[in-house]
Amino acid sequence: MNTKLPPLTPLVSPWMEQLITDFDLQYQLFEKYGSPLNVHHIPSFEKNISAFQAILSNYGFKHKIFYARKANKCKILASAAVQNGIGVDTASFNELKQCLDNGILPSNLVSTAAIKTEPLLKLAIHNQVLLIIDNEDEANKILELSKELNQPAIIGFRISGFYVGNRKLMSRFGLDVDEIESFILDFFKKK
């Protein structure tokens, strides 16, 4: 079936309309802050968080939403995320360290970095930040460092390879859904 979908129309808030059409304001902002100009509107961020939470709660899903720090380096968004009841997903040593240094509690942090360096793993283990495992090598490294630091690691598993209809969706991230159960059982039996 080759059904053409209609184009997606962006949602544009009144504050965006004002910024887009007010060339004097744009000029003043470029003069003051330079270019490129990255504009954030915290009330819109908070409104989006509330909308996501309302939908998930409405359907009775047990959930915790995490704001992807990697998507935007603005430090105030990480603080606003936590103040609005969601966590922060960090993808590097620097992101995790900045969040911890800014007083964000480890229980509000997760690390899903594609490449988890030893300093990142040690920082996460030491601070009891949830580490999301993508493969057996990461699991082994986390176990090794956890023993070295004499501290348990908090872990979760990214799972991929789910089926949509009869088609398996492949990803370079995560453990295969068809193999995750045996992986977990074998891994923890050996250790």
Side-chain angles (χ1 to χ4, degrees):
M1 180 159 79
N2 191 6
T3 306
K4 187 174 181 179
L5 298 174
L8 296 174
T9 304
L11 299 175
V12 181
S13 301
W15 72 268
M16 293 177 188
E17 285 283 348
Q18 178 188 357
L19 185 60
I20 292 167
T21 59
D22 190 338
F23 297 113
D24 289 335
L25 176 59
Q26 290 174 30
Y27 179 77
Q28 291 170 20
L29 291 171
F30 284 126
E31 281 291 308
K32 184 170 183 175
Y33 299 107
S35 177
L37 187 62
N38 196 354
V39 180
H40 299 278
H41 189 252
I42 300 303
S44 294
F45 183 64
E46 293 169 338
K47 183 178 173 185
N48 289 339
I49 291 170
S50 292
F52 276 117
Q53 289 170 325
I55 290 168
L56 294 168
S57 295
N58 187 46
Y59 285 96
F61 288 117
K62 183 178 177 185
H63 66 277
K64 180 151 186 173
I65 299 169
F66 286 85
Y67 158 69
R69 177 79 165 67
K70 177 179 171 179
N72 194 308
K73 302 299 183 201
C74 181
K75 291 178 188 174
I76 196 167
L77 289 174
S79 297
V82 173
Q83 289 168 3
N84 284 274
I86 69 172
V88 182
D89 175 357
T90 63
S92 71
F93 174 86
N94 287 338
E95 288 178 13
L96 180 56
K97 184 162 182 355
Q98 285 173 352
C99 287
L100 290 166
D101 289 348
N102 284 334
I104 296 176
L105 297 176
S107 59
N108 286 318
L109 296 169
V110 62
S111 181
T112 61
I115 299 170
K116 297 176 183 76
T117 63
E118 190 169 308
L120 168 63
L121 293 173
K122 284 182 173 181
L123 182 65
I125 293 167
H126 177 72
N127 287 282
Q128 296 292 277
V129 171
L130 174 62
L131 285 162
I132 301 301
I133 295 174
D134 280 304
N135 56 57
E136 187 172 0
D137 290 343
E138 284 182 359
N140 288 328
K141 188 65 176 175
I142 291 167
L143 179 61
E144 173 191 319
L145 292 173
S146 177
K147 288 177 179 178
E148 177 186 311
L149 297 170
N150 196 27
Q151 195 166 6
I154 301 174
I155 60 168
F157 297 93
R158 187 180 346 240
I159 303 171
S160 64
F162 292 97
Y163 293 88
V164 175
N166 61 355
R167 184 172 160 244
K168 186 172 181 108
L169 300 178
M170 302 306 290
S171 173
R172 64 188 180 111
F173 300 106
L175 295 150
D176 190 278
V177 67
D178 295 328
E179 300 168 7
I180 187 67
E181 183 177 0
S182 61
F183 171 79
I184 290 173
L185 292 172
D186 291 345
F187 184 78
F188 287 104
K189 266 189 227 174
K190 289 187 286 187
K191 309 311 175 198

